Amino acid sequence: MHLEIHSSPRDRWTVLTPLGDLDMAGAPNLRQAVIREVGEGRNALVIDLSAVTFVDSSGLGAIVGALRRIRSHGGDLVLVCPSPELRRAFALCDLDRVFELHSDVENATAQQGSMPG
């Protein structure tokens, strides 16, 4: 399945919403979307995984890579992950210790009141 990524502004944040499978075929699309946003000066990103139906190690790797890229540009990344299955994938890889997993975009942006730096 092709992975589409929608981008929308929300206050000082940019919300990236992937739709479909975040797997070996879809991970490069997420990588490119993050590179584009950071390249345009938007380094406060929310990745909303609520429309992701499947994630594999390539998809998780793309999310970790996004965090590294954003942090290297002085920004921050938060995740929306309402799916118990996806939350389990993050927990199995101990990525639930790296990322705060929010239930919706409102919680993700509300709890992140101040930018680093």
Side-chain angles (χ1 to χ4, degrees):
M1 177 180 198
H2 175 72
L3 182 77
E4 283 183 48
I5 299 181
H6 295 252
S7 175
S8 60
R10 184 177 191 106
D11 300 319
R12 71 174 123 221
W13 296 89
T14 299
V15 180
L16 295 178
T17 307
L19 298 107
D21 294 344
L22 187 51
D23 56 8
M24 193 165 77
N29 294 353
L30 179 61
R31 246 182 239 109
Q32 288 304 312
V34 170
I35 288 168
R36 182 176 51 252
E37 296 297 336
V38 171
E40 293 175 4
R42 292 183 285 277
N43 63 352
L45 298 183
V46 175
I47 298 178
D48 179 0
L49 300 172
S50 59
V52 169
T53 52
F54 173 80
V55 66
D56 69 4
S57 59
S58 300
L60 293 173
I63 294 169
V64 170
L67 177 65
R68 285 189 184 128
R69 177 172 296 276
I70 291 164
R71 290 228 173 122
S72 74
H73 285 84
D76 203 5
L77 172 69
V78 295
L79 302 179
V80 173
C81 186
S83 161
E85 292 83 11
L86 292 183
R87 282 179 178 263
R88 193 166 26 260
F90 278 89
L92 285 171
C93 299
D94 279 338
L95 290 175
D96 57 341
R97 294 171 175 240
V98 176
F99 295 100
E100 239 183 275
L101 304 176
H102 298 277
S103 57
D104 56 43
V105 173
E106 291 74 26
N107 284 331
T109 57
Q111 294 182 10
Q112 302 295 323
S114 64
M115 289 296 300

